[in-house]
Amino acid sequence: MRILITNDDGIDSPSLFELVKWAMKLGEVTVCAPRVQQSGSSHGIDFHRPIEIKPYPLIEGVESYSVDSTPADCVRFGTLGLKRDYDLVISGINKGLNMGEDIVYSGTVGAIFEAETRGQKGFAISTGFDSFDLAVENLDLIYKFIVDNKLFNFANIYNVNVPSDEIKGIRITRQGDAYFTDEFISLGNNMYQENGYCIHDNKHDLNVDTDATIDGYVTVTPITHKRTNNSAFEKLVSINN
């Protein structure tokens, strides 16, 4: 199995290191990860300047590259730059949950959206800020769930969130609503700081990623980079006739 791994916390992230060590038992691993922190970069790419991409000594025997750009560009280099296809692309393990509407901002999830545009299958994996230990300890369990249920027969990419404190089980979920929002704090001299705060209203709906993750379940959400509102399209397509 050929595996591409990236993240948005940067190539020095300890959680990336642990993910790579785990993935090595599945097959041949290539790492293309951002040189520095890229949280919130979404599906952005950088085509306005040259990008520094250089080999990085992450783990002996693992081909690894430091990419001075976004997670999406890391996947682009891993596929377009190295001219390779992969059996699996994994983005993470992100420190900070990526669920609900927040996935549109996530560089971790943006990398998986890019993977799908390149015809690859894979998943993004995120957990709480406090510790990524539980996510690492349960990688075998999560991967077994994906394989045993043949999830890639149904969708190319998935968004996985792992609680930090306990795991009651694993659930297939849909994307929930907003989890965080922001206020703009004036720092003076025309400078502002965005300050995020949680607005999640937990209705304990275990079919929704936000509720189920907070209630202690690993959530596995089928997602896609395609943005067409198909419900609206089906109603409006008759205009073309």
Side-chain angles (χ1 to χ4, degrees):
M1 177 181 285
R2 180 177 280 179
I3 303 164
L4 175 65
I5 294 182
T6 189
N7 72 351
D8 75 359
D9 288 331
I11 198 161
D12 289 323
S13 170
S15 58
L16 174 73
F17 182 82
E18 294 298 330
L19 177 62
V20 173
K21 284 201 305 182
W22 170 81
M24 289 172 67
K25 66 185 180 183
L26 300 180
E28 175 188 335
V29 176
T30 302
V31 178
C32 299
R35 183 179 68 85
V36 296
Q37 171 68 249
Q38 290 283 337
S39 293
S41 58
S42 187
H43 197 162
I45 61 174
D46 191 345
F47 52 84
H48 295 292
R49 64 178 179 88
I51 300 172
E52 181 186 69
I53 302 173
K54 59 184 182 180
Y56 187 88
L58 185 66
I59 296 177
E60 185 176 354
V62 175
E63 184 179 0
S64 303
Y65 297 91
S66 168
V67 181
D68 189 18
S69 191
T70 65
D73 264 341
C74 291
V75 174
R76 288 164 65 82
F77 176 72
T79 53
L80 299 174
L82 297 178
K83 295 181 172 57
R84 295 176 190 164
D85 287 322
Y86 300 88
D87 300 297
L88 185 66
V89 179
I90 311 175
S91 181
I93 300 168
N94 189 67
K95 293 190 73 173
L97 296 168
N98 282 304
M99 55 190 185
E101 294 176 1
D102 289 344
I103 70 171
V104 302
Y105 306 112
S106 167
T108 306
V109 179
I112 290 300
F113 284 144
E114 180 61 30
E116 188 180 39
T117 71
R118 301 292 129 216
Q120 314 296 293
K121 300 179 185 295
F123 61 92
I125 180 167
S126 305
T127 190
F129 284 107
D130 295 337
S131 172
F132 59 84
D133 292 345
L134 199 58
V136 172
E137 292 166 7
N138 285 276
L139 284 169
D140 283 336
L141 180 69
I142 294 165
Y143 185 66
K144 185 176 187 300
F145 179 87
I146 291 171
V147 171
D148 287 354
N149 290 287
K150 299 179 172 61
L151 295 192
F152 290 124
N153 290 347
F154 301 92
N156 288 328
I157 56 172
Y158 288 83
N159 184 37
V160 178
N161 282 281
V162 183
S164 297
D165 301 325
E166 63 173 340
I167 291 180
K168 297 177 180 177
I170 304 178
R171 294 189 63 87
I172 298 292
T173 54
R174 64 178 183 272
Q175 179 188 338
D177 296 325
Y179 187 72
F180 276 98
T181 192
D182 293 276
E183 57 182 344
F184 282 72
I185 307 298
S186 174
L187 304 178
N189 296 319
N190 301 317
M191 299 298 292
Y192 288 81
Q193 176 71 51
E194 293 186 53
N195 182 46
Y197 60 95
C198 183
I199 58 170
H200 176 230
D201 178 17
N202 192 351
K203 295 181 172 60
H204 306 288
D205 182 347
L206 298 184
N207 291 321
V208 175
D209 62 353
T210 47
D211 293 14
T213 304
I214 296 305
D215 283 349
Y217 292 88
V218 175
T219 57
V220 181
T221 306
I223 56 176
T224 179
H225 74 283
K226 299 181 186 296
R227 300 299 180 91
T228 299
N229 184 326
N230 287 305
S231 176
F233 174 78
E234 294 299 330
K235 296 173 183 176
L236 295 171
V237 68
S238 61
I239 293 173
N240 298 331
N241 299 328

